[in-house]
Amino acid sequence: MAFKGLDFYRIDDLLTDEERIVRDTVRRFVDEQVLPVIDKHFEEGTFPTQLLPRMAEMGLFGANLPEEYGCANMNNIAYGLVMQELERGDSGLRSFVSVQGALVMYPIFAFGSEQQKRHWLPLLARGEKIGCFGLTEPDHGSDPGAMETRARRTDKGWVLNGTKRWITNGTIADVAIIWAKAGEEIRGFIVETDRPGFQAPEIKAKLSLRASVTSDLILDDVEVPEDSLLPETGGLKSPLMCLNQARYGIAWGGIGAAMACYDCALEYTRGRTQFDKPIAQFQLVQDKLAHMLTEITKAQLVAWRLGKLKDEGKLHFAQVSMAKRNNVWVGLETARLARDLMGANGITLEYPVFRHMCNLESVYTYEGTDHIHTLILGEYITGLPAYK
Amino acid sequence: MKIISCIKPVPDPASRLIINESKTWIKDNDLTFVASEADNYALEEALRLKEKHQGDVAILSMGGDEAARVLRSGLAMGADRAIHLLDPKFKGADEFAAAETLAKAIEKDGGADLVLAGVQSDDLGTGMTGVMLAEFLGYAHATVVIGVEADPAAKTLKVKRELEGGINETVELPFPAVLTIQFGINQPRYASLKGIMAAKKKELKAWSAADLGLSDNLVGKPGAMYEVKEVFVPERKSRVEIITGTAEEAAAKLVEKLRKEAKVI
């Protein structure tokens, strides 16, 4: 049956008709196209590439970028609702769209030359090219400023050397946004993945985000022309601006996963009878359901307000940190409680909760760990940076 | 080709329905409304015919805000323009009054080559409005349609209809015609985000009963031919009987009961 949504505080009343149509359209897409196949992909550890043409047709890649580059120019609430619904399907699918839009198309849009924008953005929006984002390295996660990847200038352009890890879409990408130090300054490069010296082996044996491709990127004397450099990049601030875009979408995604788990647990506990009554009638079960509903409702309000601030140009990155940290926690908390309420049935792929729970363990860590977002808030509150 | 596709807003099938105090309908104030499912198939068919033969697809709906909402969704899917029949006087219409109102709107819009509607609505499911609409317009009609081929030059349609018992038939109709579209005739498209944005700029006009030249006694409740006296939740009755004995004995008893008591074989 179609997902009916969860809207205890009538947040729908705050949405415009367009925003609701966007949400309902992606919701239907997830019900009809994603949910019937996602368990199999998760079990087999494969990404559902067959869904990409339709997602591109719907305009889900870079949906909040301008029309002149082939994008839909959606506002940030509508964009967030897309992320929410995709993650209700699976974090892997939402991750793909986050990377393609916020981490590949956004940096080209924000830091690229007009020529780079006109060449790459329509190709990426149409899904004809897949992108990945290379910032994290095997030894540098939360502290990307200490990266070891280097860009050396030559007569013809640049030579890149280094290794990136935990790169979503890496193995299937046609193009990578690579962050490297040119001298002491971090710069961004658009690197086609078929260049000699570029390898992207897939990281296997993951127990999370199994329906998503995660890779190492190995750059061994990869030569790129001068116009591969994103001219407006300069310093760690540039990749962090990209991450801020992606974190915004993740704050909505956490709600989607939470709604899926809550919905499943509610239906299960109403139907499951023990001691001659539905287990939903037990106080301990109701306590957990009430907790889930409360946290999801709070997360919805946080995300909606964050979207409004973003649309009004008043967004502070610490506000994004709060939303990412809180809403992913809500997703994980809801998934764990749902698993608990569903007993042994909760651990199978027959229900979505354990899959979401496994996925959210990654989401909790990527795009700024829970700890790092806590410290960003800590610095905002006290003015004292813990990580410096 | 000028096509008008009719859309009825109905409560979201996932809603929890509660009967109102007067027991004449459900409480619909707080419900979310969506386009009746069969009407989505009709609109998709209209859009495909337009893509094949060119022309104009208008969508038509009657009701309050809920109708405006389903019309915006239809525009986002790709309809060119929308007509919203908006008047408190339209409330309480039955199929007959609705068909007359829709027919007047289509006439006011200059008629159409083809009018499409879902085979039946998700809420009442009587399947009558489309047929009555054809009668009011004086158009040819075909019901339970599972395939449409149009020849705009010859102004004819070849239509495949689903009959009972797995039998289909093909009929030919002249323009103008009303077709009621069966579920599953196609796979309705997903609106694209660009389509949703573009829909904001498309024409959505509202017409009242006065705009259509319809007097008060012909629309809404006064124009209806029947009145709903009571709606109720069907009483659940189930009878379970365990048939005992060996497999052979039980099977014989079961066949006997199915034949004589249940009269199903």
Side-chain angles (χ1 to χ4, degrees):
Chain A
M1 194 164 92
F3 180 64
K4 59 185 178 295
L6 177 60
D7 188 18
F8 185 56
Y9 261 39
R10 299 191 67 120
I11 295 165
D12 261 23
D13 293 355
L14 300 171
L15 304 178
T16 65
D17 280 341
E18 284 76 28
E19 288 159 3
R20 265 185 271 200
I21 294 171
V22 169
R23 194 258 326 266
D24 294 346
T25 302
V26 181
R27 184 170 282 176
R28 183 162 73 88
F29 166 76
V30 168
D31 283 337
E32 292 175 355
Q33 309 292 333
V34 180
L35 295 181
V37 302
I38 199 66
D39 298 341
K40 192 163 175 284
H41 282 285
F42 187 92
E43 188 166 17
E44 292 172 359
T46 52
F47 178 73
T49 40
Q50 74 279 12
L51 297 174
L52 295 180
R54 199 165 239 161
M55 290 165 72
E57 229 167 77
M58 290 169 73
L60 302 185
F61 305 146
N64 54 351
L65 297 179
E67 282 167 272
E68 57 177 312
Y69 301 115
C71 304
N73 196 29
M74 303 302 309
N75 69 27
N76 283 292
I77 301 280
Y79 172 79
L81 290 165
V82 170
M83 296 300 165
Q84 171 189 296
E85 292 305 316
L86 289 174
E87 192 137 4
R88 185 177 66 82
D90 191 85
S91 302
L93 204 60
R94 202 269 307 134
S95 295
F96 181 96
V97 176
S98 282
V99 169
Q100 182 87 348
L103 297 182
V104 178
M105 296 172 72
Y106 172 79
I108 294 172
F109 170 71
F111 311 120
S113 66
E114 195 54 36
Q115 197 191 355
Q116 286 169 333
K117 290 185 219 183
R118 299 225 170 265
H119 176 71
W120 285 107
L121 294 178
L123 287 171
L124 290 158
R126 290 197 300 267
E128 287 168 26
K129 298 285 180 189
I130 293 172
C132 68
F133 179 87
L135 177 67
T136 297
E137 298 185 353
D139 296 326
H140 308 282
S142 291
D143 182 17
M147 70 171 60
E148 292 168 45
T149 302
R150 291 286 182 274
R152 182 166 48 84
R153 210 180 249 290
T154 65
D155 298 343
K156 289 175 279 181
W158 299 84
V159 173
L160 303 175
N161 277 290
T163 306
K164 301 291 182 181
R165 181 158 292 170
W166 307 120
I167 308 305
T168 300
N169 300 351
T171 310
I172 57 171
D174 304 292
V175 61
I177 303 297
I178 297 292
W179 300 92
K181 275 189 180 163
E184 281 311 299
E185 193 180 35
I186 293 173
R187 307 296 304 267
F189 296 86
I190 305 175
V191 182
E192 290 99 333
T193 57
D194 58 0
R195 289 193 173 274
F198 191 104
Q199 287 178 67
E202 188 170 353
I203 299 172
K204 294 285 190 184
K206 287 180 301 171
L207 298 176
S208 173
L209 291 177
R210 289 184 53 75
S212 169
V213 174
T214 313
S215 317
D216 281 340
L217 303 182
I218 301 160
L219 295 99
D220 183 12
D221 279 335
V222 176
E223 289 182 30
V224 294
E226 180 60 39
D227 65 4
S228 297
L229 175 70
L230 288 164
E232 304 300 322
T233 54
L236 189 58
K237 189 169 180 283
S238 305
L240 292 184
M241 279 170 69
C242 303
L243 292 179
N244 222 31
Q245 300 295 317
R247 289 165 181 175
Y248 170 78
I250 293 169
W252 286 86
I255 302 168
M259 289 199 303
C261 294
Y262 170 83
D263 192 58
C264 184
L266 177 60
E267 195 184 324
Y268 181 89
T269 54
R270 283 163 77 151
R272 170 91 174 168
T273 302
Q274 294 288 288
F275 306 102
D276 295 326
K277 60 182 183 181
I279 61 171
Q281 207 173 332
F282 288 99
Q283 289 174 340
L284 287 170
V285 173
Q286 292 186 357
D287 172 58
K288 290 187 171 70
L289 291 170
H291 175 63
M292 290 161 149
L293 178 64
T294 306
E295 290 305 329
I296 292 170
T297 302
K298 283 150 71 178
Q300 287 172 323
L301 289 166
V302 166
W304 180 82
R305 181 64 192 145
L306 191 73
K308 281 286 164 197
L309 289 171
K310 194 168 192 301
D311 278 338
E312 290 163 10
K314 297 176 185 165
L315 193 68
H316 189 284
F317 63 83
Q319 291 166 326
V320 181
S321 285
M322 179 190 273
K324 193 271 182 183
R325 175 177 181 268
N326 181 73
N327 289 12
V328 176
W329 171 80
V330 171
L332 197 50
E333 171 88 346
T334 306
R336 287 172 177 162
L337 290 174
R339 207 296 303 156
D340 185 10
L341 293 181
M342 295 174 67
N345 283 304
I347 70 162
T348 67
L349 266 177
E350 192 182 333
Y351 298 96
V353 299
F354 209 78
R355 175 169 56 80
H356 281 300
M357 194 181 95
C358 292
N359 285 339
L360 288 162
E361 289 291 348
S362 292
V363 181
Y364 195 69
T365 286
Y366 74 21
E367 304 283 348
T369 65
D370 184 77
H371 281 174
I372 287 294
H373 288 299
T374 308
L375 298 183
I376 291 171
L377 284 169
E379 182 184 2
Y380 179 81
I381 296 162
T382 64
L384 306 169
Y387 32 64
K388 279 180 192 162
Chain B
M1 236 178 126
K2 181 180 171 188
I3 307 171
I4 295 181
S5 198
C6 304
I7 308 177
K8 181 178 187 181
V10 295
D12 188 331
S15 312
R16 262 166 84 181
L17 303 179
I18 299 164
I19 293 169
N20 67 12
E21 273 89 35
S22 57
K23 294 190 178 174
T24 50
W25 193 232
I26 50 168
K27 288 184 182 176
D28 55 10
N29 290 346
D30 286 342
L31 293 179
T32 303
F33 282 77
V34 296
S36 186
E37 193 186 348
D39 295 341
N40 278 330
Y41 291 106
L43 174 55
E44 176 63 35
E45 205 56 29
L47 295 172
R48 289 182 187 197
L49 286 167
K50 183 202 156 172
E51 280 158 7
K52 206 167 173 185
H53 302 291
Q54 265 116 41
D56 172 70
V57 174
I59 43 178
L60 178 62
S61 188
M62 184 170 87
D65 288 347
E66 73 282 3
R69 199 159 289 152
V70 300
L71 287 171
R72 286 206 188 89
S73 296
L75 291 172
M77 266 175 82
D80 299 298
R81 58 197 179 86
I83 303 167
H84 181 190
L85 303 178
L86 174 67
D87 195 324
K89 289 176 185 164
F90 293 146
K91 206 166 167 57
D94 66 354
E95 295 83 344
F96 186 85
E100 185 163 15
T101 307
L102 294 173
K104 282 285 175 207
I106 291 167
E107 281 168 6
K108 184 177 166 66
D109 197 57
D113 296 317
L114 191 55
V115 176
L116 301 183
V119 67
Q120 62 185 51
S121 59
D122 289 345
D123 52 0
L124 289 172
T126 62
M128 296 196 289
T129 310
V131 182
M132 290 181 176
L133 175 60
E135 197 60 28
F136 275 114
L137 288 166
Y139 289 9
H141 78 263
T143 55
V144 205
V145 169
I146 54 170
V148 185
E149 278 176 50
D151 184 345
K155 292 195 174 291
T156 56
L157 292 158
K158 200 186 263 186
V159 162
K160 204 180 199 185
R161 297 184 60 231
E162 188 176 272
L163 305 178
E164 305 267 322
I167 301 167
N168 298 332
E169 71 167 6
T170 304
V171 291
E172 284 194 8
L173 292 85
F175 283 9
V178 177
L179 306 180
T180 70
I181 302 295
Q182 173 66 312
F183 294 84
I185 184 176
N186 52 40
Q187 165 82 45
R189 68 195 61 194
Y190 300 104
S192 73
L193 302 191
K194 277 189 213 168
I196 294 168
M197 295 303 283
K200 277 202 274 197
K201 294 169 200 145
K202 290 181 180 172
E203 179 186 283
L204 196 166
K205 60 187 168 194
W207 284 340
S208 65
D211 291 331
L212 300 179
L214 281 165
S215 56
D216 290 0
N217 62 329
L218 294 177
V219 297
K221 213 170 175 182
M225 301 293 276
Y226 71 84
E227 192 185 344
V228 176
K229 290 286 185 196
E230 189 188 350
V231 293
F232 55 90
V233 179
E235 203 183 317
R236 279 189 196 197
K237 281 184 191 161
S238 62
R239 201 160 60 103
V240 177
E241 193 178 330
I242 310 279
I243 300 171
T244 54
T246 65
E248 287 80 12
E249 287 165 4
K253 276 187 211 167
L254 176 64
V255 169
E256 176 85 3
K257 280 178 180 296
L258 289 173
R259 194 168 280 155
K260 295 207 168 140
E261 288 177 29
K263 294 193 171 94
V264 293
I265 57 171

